Amino acid sequence: MRRRPDQRLAHVIITFSDADTANRAIVNGLSICHKRVSVAKCRKEPIRCLKCQGWDHIAAECVVTKEVNVCGTCGARDHWTSKCNQQGVTHCTSCKSDDHTSWDRGCPTFLRKVDELNARDPANDIPFFPARETWTWSQSYPS
Ligand SMILES: [Zn+2]
Ligand SMILES: [Zn+2]
Ligand SMILES: [Zn+2]
């Protein structure tokens, strides 16, 4: 994904060598360049195609639409989401609804896809990396 010039937040992907170290970082945060940063696990998310707004494939592998770019914001079929200038217009291609955009994280289709993913991989839904300690399997932080 290309960054917009006004974007201030950056995500850093850190790979930990073992689950214990990763869990400790999630609980305590990490110190990067003398700044405390909070750490969250990267959960797997359903893949949505940026070209056709369909699911389970990426734009580079999209076979649904060759000439068409479906806008994730307004649902028009003639521009990329990033080129959208339809202010205030929302349309979700998945739900065929004008209540929200295709990239809305509250989109019922998105949430159903997340459920399907978690059903296949139950560890995906918990905030920690399952390790020896039982609290890593819980939904909440240790007190
Ligand atoms: Zn596609
Ligand atoms: Zn648009
Ligand atoms: Zn939707």
Side-chain angles (χ1 to χ4, degrees), residues 1 6 30 34 48 50 56 67 69 76 81 89 106-108:
M1 200 183 283
D6 61 353
L30 270 187
H34 308 290
R48 187 172 47 82
L50 295 174
D56 304 321
E67 310 295 312
N69 292 317
T81 308
V89 181
C107 165

Side-chain angles (χ1 to χ4, degrees), residues 14 29 69-70 81 84 92 112 122 128:
I14 306 165
N69 292 317
V70 180
T81 308
C84 188
C92 174
R112 204 189 48 196
F128 304 105

